[in-house]
Amino acid sequence: MTAQAKKGMIVYCSPAGATRHVAQVIEKKLTELGTEVSVFDLGKKEDEAGAISEIQNAKDNFCLFVGSPVYVSHAIPPVMNFISKLPENTGASAVPFVTWGGVTSGIALWEMGKALTEKGINMIGATKILATHSMMWRSENPLGNGHPSPEDDKIIQDMVRHVCENLSADFTKGIPLSELAYYPEEARVQMANITLKAAKGIMPKREVDEKLCTKCEVCSDVCPTDSVRFSPFPEFGDNCIFCYNCVRNCPEEAIKADFSLVEERIRDRAKQLSEKPFIQIFV
Ligand SMILES: Cc1cc2nc3c(=O)[nH]c(=O)nc-3n(C[C@H](O)[C@H](O)[C@H](O)COP(=O)(O)O)c2cc1C
Protein backbone atom coordinates (compact mmCIF):
# COMPACT_ATOMS: atom_id res chain seq x y z
CA MET A 1 0.00 0.00 0.00
CA THR A 2 1.74 3.18 -1.07
CA ALA A 3 0.77 6.61 0.22
CA GLN A 4 -0.25 7.66 -3.29
CA ALA A 5 -2.40 4.62 -4.01
CA LYS A 6 -4.26 3.82 -0.79
CA LYS A 7 -5.07 5.58 2.41
CA GLY A 8 -5.26 3.70 5.70
CA MET A 9 -8.26 4.34 7.91
CA ILE A 10 -8.55 2.99 11.43
CA VAL A 11 -11.96 3.13 13.11
CA TYR A 12 -12.49 1.54 16.51
CA CYS A 13 -14.36 1.65 19.80
CA SER A 14 -12.43 0.90 22.98
CA PRO A 15 -14.08 1.59 26.31
CA ALA A 16 -11.19 0.20 28.38
CA GLY A 17 -8.28 0.90 26.03
CA ALA A 18 -7.09 -2.50 24.70
CA THR A 19 -8.62 -2.08 21.25
CA ARG A 20 -7.20 1.47 21.16
CA HIS A 21 -3.77 0.02 21.89
CA VAL A 22 -4.10 -2.33 18.90
CA ALA A 23 -5.30 0.60 16.74
CA GLN A 24 -2.16 2.52 17.76
CA VAL A 25 0.11 -0.41 16.86
CA ILE A 26 -1.59 -0.62 13.44
CA GLU A 27 -1.30 3.16 12.96
CA LYS A 28 2.41 3.15 13.81
CA LYS A 29 3.17 0.31 11.41
CA LEU A 30 1.15 1.82 8.56
CA THR A 31 2.95 5.13 9.03
CA GLU A 32 6.31 3.35 9.09
CA LEU A 33 5.38 1.70 5.78
CA GLY A 34 4.70 5.12 4.25
CA THR A 35 0.90 5.03 4.32
CA GLU A 36 -1.18 8.08 5.15
CA VAL A 37 -3.49 7.18 8.07
CA SER A 38 -6.62 8.67 9.65
CA VAL A 39 -7.87 7.39 12.99
CA PHE A 40 -11.42 7.62 14.36
CA ASP A 41 -12.62 6.67 17.84
CA LEU A 42 -16.32 5.75 17.80
CA GLY A 43 -16.47 6.54 21.52
CA LYS A 44 -16.24 10.23 20.58
CA LYS A 45 -19.48 11.81 19.44
CA GLU A 46 -18.24 13.48 16.27
CA ASP A 47 -15.92 10.73 15.03
CA GLU A 48 -18.49 8.41 13.42
CA ALA A 49 -19.74 11.13 11.06
CA GLY A 50 -16.13 12.17 10.36
CA ALA A 51 -15.16 8.61 9.40
CA ILE A 52 -18.17 8.10 7.12
CA SER A 53 -17.55 11.41 5.36
CA GLU A 54 -13.87 10.60 4.83
CA ILE A 55 -14.80 7.18 3.43
CA GLN A 56 -17.30 8.77 1.04
CA ASN A 57 -14.59 11.11 -0.24
CA ALA A 58 -11.95 8.39 -0.53
CA LYS A 59 -14.24 6.13 -2.64
CA ASP A 60 -12.35 2.84 -3.19
CA ASN A 61 -9.01 4.37 -2.39
CA PHE A 62 -8.68 3.21 1.20
CA CYS A 63 -8.16 0.22 3.42
CA LEU A 64 -10.32 0.29 6.53
CA PHE A 65 -9.05 -1.32 9.75
CA VAL A 66 -12.09 -1.62 12.02
CA GLY A 67 -11.78 -2.72 15.65
CA SER A 68 -14.10 -3.83 18.43
CA PRO A 69 -13.86 -5.48 21.84
CA VAL A 70 -15.81 -8.74 22.22
CA TYR A 71 -18.85 -8.39 24.51
CA VAL A 72 -20.90 -11.53 25.18
CA SER A 73 -19.34 -13.18 22.10
CA HIS A 74 -20.31 -10.26 19.83
CA ALA A 75 -18.77 -7.13 18.37
CA ILE A 76 -20.18 -4.12 20.21
CA PRO A 77 -23.12 -2.04 18.87
CA PRO A 78 -21.18 1.20 18.13
CA VAL A 79 -18.91 -0.77 15.76
CA MET A 80 -21.69 -2.79 14.09
CA ASN A 81 -23.77 0.40 13.69
CA PHE A 82 -20.80 2.12 12.06
CA ILE A 83 -20.32 -0.77 9.59
CA SER A 84 -24.04 -0.69 8.76
CA LYS A 85 -23.66 2.97 7.70
CA LEU A 86 -20.79 2.37 5.27
CA PRO A 87 -21.53 3.12 1.62
CA GLU A 88 -22.06 0.03 -0.54
CA ASN A 89 -19.85 -1.35 -3.30
CA THR A 90 -17.03 1.14 -2.95
CA GLY A 91 -14.55 -1.58 -3.96
CA ALA A 92 -12.56 -0.73 -0.84
CA SER A 93 -10.71 -3.22 1.38
CA ALA A 94 -11.08 -3.87 5.08
CA VAL A 95 -9.43 -5.65 7.99
CA PRO A 96 -11.65 -6.31 11.03
CA PHE A 97 -9.89 -6.79 14.38
CA VAL A 98 -11.18 -7.73 17.84
CA THR A 99 -9.75 -7.85 21.33
CA TRP A 100 -11.18 -10.44 23.72
CA GLY A 101 -10.73 -11.05 27.44
CA GLY A 102 -9.78 -14.72 27.61
CA VAL A 103 -13.32 -16.15 27.72
CA THR A 104 -14.25 -16.36 24.06
CA SER A 105 -13.74 -14.26 20.95
CA GLY A 106 -17.08 -15.75 19.94
CA ILE A 107 -18.56 -14.71 16.63
CA ALA A 108 -17.42 -11.08 16.76
CA LEU A 109 -14.87 -11.29 13.97
CA TRP A 110 -17.21 -13.34 11.79
CA GLU A 111 -20.07 -10.85 12.36
CA MET A 112 -17.89 -7.91 11.39
CA GLY A 113 -16.50 -9.76 8.38
CA LYS A 114 -20.00 -10.69 7.24
CA ALA A 115 -21.31 -7.12 7.56
CA LEU A 116 -18.29 -5.75 5.66
CA THR A 117 -18.59 -8.37 2.92
CA GLU A 118 -22.29 -7.57 2.55
CA LYS A 119 -21.27 -3.96 1.88
CA GLY A 120 -19.19 -5.21 -1.06
CA ILE A 121 -15.95 -4.56 0.81
CA ASN A 122 -13.07 -6.98 0.21
CA MET A 123 -11.91 -8.46 3.51
CA ILE A 124 -8.15 -8.81 3.07
CA GLY A 125 -7.14 -9.56 6.64
CA ALA A 126 -8.50 -10.07 10.15
CA THR A 127 -7.15 -10.65 13.62
CA LYS A 128 -8.25 -11.55 17.14
CA ILE A 129 -6.05 -10.46 20.03
CA LEU A 130 -6.15 -11.48 23.67
CA ALA A 131 -6.38 -8.59 26.16
CA THR A 132 -6.94 -8.10 29.88
CA HIS A 133 -10.63 -8.77 30.62
CA SER A 134 -12.17 -5.33 31.04
CA MET A 135 -14.62 -6.42 33.75
CA MET A 136 -11.76 -7.64 35.92
CA TRP A 137 -9.74 -4.48 36.47
CA ARG A 138 -10.08 -4.87 40.23
CA SER A 139 -8.90 -8.47 40.23
CA GLU A 140 -5.29 -9.34 41.11
CA ASN A 141 -5.22 -11.95 38.40
CA PRO A 142 -7.54 -10.90 35.58
CA LEU A 143 -8.01 -13.15 32.57
CA GLY A 144 -5.78 -12.04 29.71
CA ASN A 145 -3.40 -10.36 32.17
CA GLY A 146 -0.41 -8.72 30.45
CA HIS A 147 -1.95 -8.80 26.98
CA PRO A 148 -1.62 -7.45 24.36
CA SER A 149 2.06 -8.10 25.12
CA PRO A 150 5.06 -6.76 23.16
CA GLU A 151 5.13 -10.17 21.38
CA ASP A 152 1.45 -9.72 20.45
CA ASP A 153 2.28 -6.26 19.07
CA LYS A 154 4.90 -7.82 16.79
CA ILE A 155 2.32 -10.27 15.41
CA ILE A 156 -0.07 -7.36 14.76
CA GLN A 157 2.71 -5.45 12.96
CA ASP A 158 3.37 -8.53 10.86
CA MET A 159 -0.30 -8.71 9.91
CA VAL A 160 -0.20 -5.06 8.79
CA ARG A 161 2.91 -5.72 6.70
CA HIS A 162 1.19 -8.70 5.00
CA VAL A 163 -1.94 -6.65 4.31
CA CYS A 164 0.13 -3.85 2.77
CA GLU A 165 2.03 -6.31 0.58
CA ASN A 166 -1.23 -7.81 -0.65
CA LEU A 167 -2.69 -4.38 -1.37
CA SER A 168 0.31 -3.18 -3.33
CA ALA A 169 0.25 -6.42 -5.33
CA ASP A 170 -3.42 -5.67 -6.10
CA PHE A 171 -4.43 -8.81 -4.29
CA THR A 172 -8.18 -9.08 -4.73
CA LYS A 173 -8.98 -12.57 -3.49
CA GLY A 174 -9.82 -11.67 0.09
CA ILE A 175 -10.39 -13.99 3.03
CA PRO A 176 -13.33 -16.39 2.88
CA LEU A 177 -15.82 -15.58 5.63
CA SER A 178 -15.82 -19.28 6.59
CA GLU A 179 -12.28 -18.85 8.00
CA LEU A 180 -13.68 -16.58 10.69
CA ALA A 181 -16.33 -19.14 11.68
CA TYR A 182 -13.84 -21.06 13.81
CA TYR A 183 -16.34 -22.35 16.41
CA PRO A 184 -18.52 -25.38 15.59
CA GLU A 185 -21.91 -24.42 14.17
CA GLU A 186 -23.84 -25.42 17.31
CA ALA A 187 -21.72 -23.10 19.48
CA ARG A 188 -22.06 -20.28 16.95
CA VAL A 189 -25.85 -20.59 16.93
CA GLN A 190 -25.90 -20.44 20.74
CA MET A 191 -23.64 -17.38 20.75
CA ALA A 192 -25.78 -15.67 18.12
CA ASN A 193 -28.86 -16.17 20.29
CA ILE A 194 -27.37 -14.50 23.38
CA THR A 195 -27.18 -10.82 22.53
CA LEU A 196 -25.77 -8.10 24.76
CA LYS A 197 -29.33 -6.83 25.24
CA ALA A 198 -30.47 -10.26 26.40
CA ALA A 199 -27.52 -10.49 28.80
CA LYS A 200 -28.23 -7.13 30.46
CA GLY A 201 -30.18 -8.86 33.22
CA ILE A 202 -27.10 -10.75 34.38
CA MET A 203 -24.72 -7.79 34.27
CA PRO A 204 -23.66 -6.34 37.64
CA LYS A 205 -26.04 -3.56 38.63
CA ARG A 206 -24.75 -0.04 39.25
CA GLU A 207 -25.79 2.07 42.18
CA VAL A 208 -25.01 5.72 42.63
CA ASP A 209 -24.03 6.83 46.12
CA GLU A 210 -25.70 10.23 46.15
CA LYS A 211 -23.63 11.34 49.13
CA LEU A 212 -20.41 10.85 47.19
CA CYS A 213 -21.53 11.97 43.71
CA THR A 214 -20.53 15.58 42.91
CA LYS A 215 -22.29 15.54 39.49
CA CYS A 216 -18.91 16.24 37.90
CA GLU A 217 -20.09 14.47 34.71
CA VAL A 218 -16.90 12.43 34.24
CA CYS A 219 -19.15 9.33 33.92
CA SER A 220 -20.95 10.99 31.03
CA ASP A 221 -17.70 12.15 29.37
CA VAL A 222 -16.25 8.61 29.34
CA CYS A 223 -19.44 6.89 28.18
CA PRO A 224 -18.85 5.63 24.59
CA THR A 225 -22.57 5.54 23.81
CA ASP A 226 -23.61 8.86 25.39
CA SER A 227 -26.00 7.00 27.68
CA VAL A 228 -25.62 8.91 30.97
CA ARG A 229 -28.19 11.54 31.91
CA PHE A 230 -28.44 13.54 35.16
CA SER A 231 -31.70 13.76 37.00
CA PRO A 232 -30.08 15.17 39.10
CA PHE A 233 -27.80 12.13 39.69
CA PRO A 234 -26.47 9.88 36.89
CA GLU A 235 -28.93 7.50 35.23
CA PHE A 236 -28.00 4.97 32.57
CA GLY A 237 -30.07 4.82 29.38
CA ASP A 238 -31.04 2.04 26.99
CA ASN A 239 -27.96 2.41 24.78
CA CYS A 240 -25.66 1.49 27.67
CA ILE A 241 -23.36 -1.37 26.62
CA PHE A 242 -22.19 -2.21 30.17
CA CYS A 243 -18.57 -1.28 29.58
CA TYR A 244 -18.45 0.10 33.16
CA ASN A 245 -16.34 3.09 32.11
CA CYS A 246 -18.58 5.13 34.42
CA VAL A 247 -17.68 2.90 37.39
CA ARG A 248 -14.00 2.67 36.44
CA ASN A 249 -13.51 6.41 35.97
CA CYS A 250 -15.68 7.98 38.70
CA PRO A 251 -13.22 10.17 40.66
CA GLU A 252 -15.33 9.85 43.84
CA GLU A 253 -16.00 6.10 43.48
CA ALA A 254 -19.65 7.08 43.76
CA ILE A 255 -20.86 4.56 41.14
CA LYS A 256 -20.75 1.11 42.70
CA ALA A 257 -20.94 -2.30 41.06
CA ASP A 258 -20.15 -5.71 42.51
CA PHE A 259 -18.27 -7.95 40.08
CA SER A 260 -17.61 -10.86 42.47
CA LEU A 261 -20.44 -13.13 41.24
CA VAL A 262 -19.96 -12.41 37.56
CA GLU A 263 -16.20 -12.97 37.91
CA GLU A 264 -16.68 -16.57 38.98
CA ARG A 265 -19.02 -17.16 36.05
CA ILE A 266 -16.53 -15.58 33.62
CA ARG A 267 -13.68 -17.80 34.87
CA ASP A 268 -15.86 -20.95 34.65
CA ARG A 269 -16.88 -20.16 31.09
CA ALA A 270 -13.26 -19.48 30.11
CA LYS A 271 -12.25 -22.89 31.51
CA GLN A 272 -15.11 -24.62 29.75
CA LEU A 273 -14.34 -23.09 26.34
CA SER A 274 -10.51 -22.90 26.67
CA GLU A 275 -10.26 -21.08 23.36
CA LYS A 276 -6.92 -21.25 21.57
CA PRO A 277 -4.96 -19.67 19.98
CA PHE A 278 -4.99 -16.46 22.05
CA ILE A 279 -3.87 -14.36 19.12
CA GLN A 280 -4.52 -15.21 15.50
CA ILE A 281 -4.08 -13.41 12.24
CA PHE A 282 -5.91 -14.20 9.01
CA VAL A 283 -4.17 -12.93 5.87
C1 LIG B 1 -19.91 -6.38 29.10
C2 LIG B 1 -18.65 -7.10 28.73
C3 LIG B 1 -18.74 -8.31 28.09
C4 LIG B 1 -17.57 -9.00 27.72
N1 LIG B 1 -17.70 -10.20 27.06
C5 LIG B 1 -16.59 -10.89 26.73
C6 LIG B 1 -16.68 -12.14 26.06
O1 LIG B 1 -17.76 -12.62 25.68
N2 LIG B 1 -15.53 -12.83 25.83
C7 LIG B 1 -14.30 -12.35 26.21
O2 LIG B 1 -13.31 -13.03 26.01
N3 LIG B 1 -14.18 -11.13 26.79
C8 LIG B 1 -15.28 -10.39 27.05
N4 LIG B 1 -15.15 -9.15 27.63
C9 LIG B 1 -13.80 -8.58 27.80
C10 LIG B 1 -13.41 -7.69 26.62
O3 LIG B 1 -13.71 -8.26 25.39
C11 LIG B 1 -11.90 -7.41 26.58
O4 LIG B 1 -11.40 -7.06 27.82
C12 LIG B 1 -11.58 -6.33 25.54
O5 LIG B 1 -10.21 -6.37 25.29
C13 LIG B 1 -11.96 -4.95 26.01
O6 LIG B 1 -11.61 -4.04 25.00
P1 LIG B 1 -11.35 -2.50 25.31
O7 LIG B 1 -10.21 -2.45 26.34
O8 LIG B 1 -10.93 -1.94 24.01
O9 LIG B 1 -12.60 -1.94 25.84
C14 LIG B 1 -16.28 -8.45 28.01
C15 LIG B 1 -16.22 -7.21 28.67
C16 LIG B 1 -17.37 -6.55 29.03
C17 LIG B 1 -17.25 -5.22 29.72
Side-chain angles (χ1 to χ4, degrees), residues 12-22 67-74 76 98-106 129-137 143-144 147-148 191 196 199 203-204 241-245 248 259 266 269-270 273 275:
Y12 67 91
C13 190
S14 182
T19 314
R20 177 174 304 109
H21 169 84
V22 176
S68 174
V70 178
Y71 277 18
V72 197
S73 309
H74 296 272
I76 60 175
V98 297
T99 65
W100 63 294
V103 183
T104 174
S105 62
I129 301 127
L130 181 66
T132 308
H133 198 296
S134 56
M135 261 201 212
M136 293 183 165
W137 79 93
L143 288 175
H147 291 275
M191 288 169 176
L196 181 61
M203 293 295 173
I241 55 170
F242 288 85
C243 68
Y244 296 99
N245 261 6
R248 201 188 338 261
F259 294 94
I266 288 171
R269 178 119 171 105
L273 291 168
E275 178 175 321

Side-chain angles (χ1 to χ4, degrees), residues 74-201:
H74 296 272
I76 60 175
V79 174
M80 293 309 289
N81 290 342
F82 163 73
I83 296 177
S84 75
K85 290 178 190 161
L86 288 173
E88 283 181 23
N89 299 320
T90 52
S93 314
V95 179
F97 62 98
V98 297
T99 65
W100 63 294
V103 183
T104 174
S105 62
I107 53 171
L109 210 47
W110 176 82
E111 260 171 0
M112 291 167 75
K114 180 167 181 283
L116 289 162
T117 309
E118 282 171 1
K119 288 281 175 182
I121 294 174
N122 191 22
M123 190 173 49
I124 52 159
T127 178
K128 63 164 212 191
I129 301 127
L130 181 66
T132 308
H133 198 296
S134 56
M135 261 201 212
M136 293 183 165
W137 79 93
R138 287 175 177 153
S139 160
E140 272 179 24
N141 181 27
L143 288 175
N145 201 10
H147 291 275
S149 65
E151 286 71 35
D152 297 334
D153 290 356
K154 283 196 196 123
I155 296 174
I156 299 161
Q157 288 163 5
D158 229 36
M159 187 268 304
V160 175
R161 193 180 44 74
H162 264 289
V163 163
C164 289
E165 279 169 11
N166 284 346
L167 277 170
S168 56
D170 243 347
F171 177 83
T172 49
K173 210 160 105 263
I175 297 180
L177 194 54
S178 56
E179 274 199 38
L180 305 185
Y182 40 77
Y183 270 99
E185 196 185 343
E186 195 188 337
R188 283 189 284 119
V189 170
Q190 265 178 24
M191 288 169 176
N193 285 337
I194 304 170
T195 60
L196 181 61
K197 250 201 175 104
K200 279 186 178 178

